[in-house]
Amino acid sequence: MRKVKVYITLKESVLDPQGQAVMQSLHNMDYQNVKNVRIGKYIELEMEDSADINQQIEALCDKLLANTVIENYRYEIDEEVHS
Amino acid sequence: MKTAVIVFPGSNCDQDMYYAIKDGLGEEVEYVWHAETSLDGFDAVMIPGGFSYGDYLRSGAIARFAGIMPAVIQAAREGKPVLGVCNGFQILLEAGLLPGAMLKNKKLKFICKTVNLKVENNNTLFTSLYKKNEIIRIPIAHGEGNYYCDDETLHMLKTGGQIVFTYDGENPNGSKANIAGIVNRAGNVLGMMPHPERAADALLESSDGLRLFQSILNHWRESAHAAYTS
């Protein structure tokens, strides 16, 4: 079994009103040094290892986990996990 | 005309849709549970609003893979009228039957109020009983209705007459080009954030939404007549 970590972020061209609201709150707390906030999603999968695991991950991200009209994704495959 | 109203776990405008078609329009209508796999015998398909699968992951993302969806996509390919309202619109976007995606409302609030819509294109099977540029009153109720698409897609929507409804006056959710509803290129799949089924009876403040359903019925009668006489 492999642990797969998927990071989903909004594309640069897409405004992130949630991130803007969080940044405003940080500024109100006097963290003026925060210059931008973008909110995304982090998803962990435990998957059976296979020769085409990369293709499988990309297919399931393209089909379901991410909406590639508005989101980008990247992923990491961790070492063997025992569950 | 026999219409299917698709029901997902979390749909909550299915009964309003049913009522608008049965009592408003006076036509035959049936609920179809999301786990069904056939829409044989139906002339039109409605995907109602709500929070299918609790809006988990993204609105409409999980509903898009429900058992009934291949039949919905098939009906769309056959040219049958397919209407997605609110969450139904989000599902049609996720299914790729319409271009673009939904973002959270610009001001992050869930908005529930009646708005003015402008009929940008009355040359569709959904809008033939409206006048072009007519202003109609239809309620919205959503937290993620901020329609987004890239500039190339927007250009295609504009030149193809695919923008059917826009918000008139204030844009409530920040949608691109004030878009409230779009059709596919073939013109038989309409997605819209406002709820025509909630404005299909004079008792409900506005009955402007009823003409949308009447337009679909007129189209069906004309095409049934054309098929009969050809």
Side-chain angles (χ1 to χ4, degrees), chain A residues 16 24 27 35 37-38 40-42 44 57 76 79:
Chain A
D16 179 11
Q24 189 55 52
H27 286 177
K35 296 304 178 199
V37 177
R38 306 279 289 172
K41 295 186 187 114
Y42 170 68
E44 285 184 351
I57 295 166
E76 296 161 6
E79 72 293 345

Side-chain angles (χ1 to χ4, degrees), chain B:
Chain B
M1 185 174 77
K2 189 173 164 190
T3 300
V5 174
I6 312 292
V7 184
F8 296 97
S11 293
N12 66 10
C13 301
D14 42 338
Q15 297 196 20
D16 305 60
M17 193 69 96
Y18 187 99
Y19 171 80
I21 294 162
K22 188 159 201 294
D23 294 280
L25 199 58
E27 288 292 310
E28 198 181 346
V29 56
E30 272 180 33
Y31 295 117
V32 176
W33 185 236
H34 68 105
E36 298 286 327
T37 53
S38 169
L39 287 166
D40 288 351
F42 289 101
D43 304 301
V45 181
M46 308 283 141
I47 308 183
F51 298 85
S52 57
Y53 301 91
D55 273 355
Y56 294 161
L57 194 63
R58 295 179 308 277
S59 306
I62 296 177
R64 179 254 174 280
F65 291 101
I68 196 64
M69 285 309 291
V72 173
I73 292 166
Q74 178 67 23
R77 288 206 182 117
E78 287 169 3
K80 289 180 183 170
V82 176
L83 169 66
V85 171
C86 199
N87 188 223
F89 187 7
Q90 294 160 342
I91 294 167
L92 292 176
L93 293 170
E94 285 284 342
L97 287 173
L98 293 171
M102 284 298 171
L103 298 168
K104 286 192 197 313
N105 291 348
K106 198 171 178 187
K107 289 178 185 163
L108 294 172
K109 282 187 179 154
F110 188 97
I111 309 163
C112 185
K113 64 177 182 182
T114 300
V115 298
N116 287 341
L117 291 185
K118 187 177 184 184
V119 180
E120 297 281 349
N121 183 356
N122 67 340
N123 190 23
T124 79
L125 71 90
F126 301 97
T127 52
S128 58
L129 291 176
Y130 298 105
K131 294 186 194 76
K132 185 171 165 61
N133 296 328
E134 182 179 348
I135 305 299
I136 59 174
R137 299 274 296 160
I138 307 276
I140 56 168
H142 60 252
E144 289 187 40
N146 180 355
Y147 178 82
Y148 173 86
C149 63
D150 60 29
D151 291 338
E152 195 183 329
T153 306
L154 183 63
H155 180 73
M156 182 194 79
L157 291 175
K158 280 183 175 167
T159 53
Q162 288 177 251
I163 301 174
V164 176
F165 297 113
T166 54
Y167 298 107
D168 186 62
E170 187 203 7
N171 179 336
N173 53 32
S175 66
K176 208 155 208 185
N178 298 321
I179 284 172
I182 57 171
V183 283
N184 63 343
R185 207 177 278 187
N188 68 308
V189 178
L190 170 66
M192 59 191 297
M193 289 313 296
H195 290 267
E197 79 283 5
R198 293 192 192 178
D201 189 314
L203 283 173
L204 301 174
E205 189 187 334
S206 165
S207 55
D208 287 344
L210 188 57
R211 277 182 285 160
L212 190 146
F213 299 102
Q214 287 166 336
S215 299
I216 300 172
L217 179 60
N218 277 5
H219 168 82
W220 178 78
R221 282 183 176 148
E222 281 159 19
S223 40
H225 181 70
Y228 180 72
T229 52
S230 65

Side-chain angles (χ1 to χ4, degrees), chain A residues 36-50:
Chain A
N36 198 13
V37 177
R38 306 279 289 172
I39 294 179
K41 295 186 187 114
Y42 170 68
I43 300 173
E44 285 184 351
L45 312 170
E46 279 181 26
M47 282 179 77
E48 287 173 12
D49 206 357
S50 66

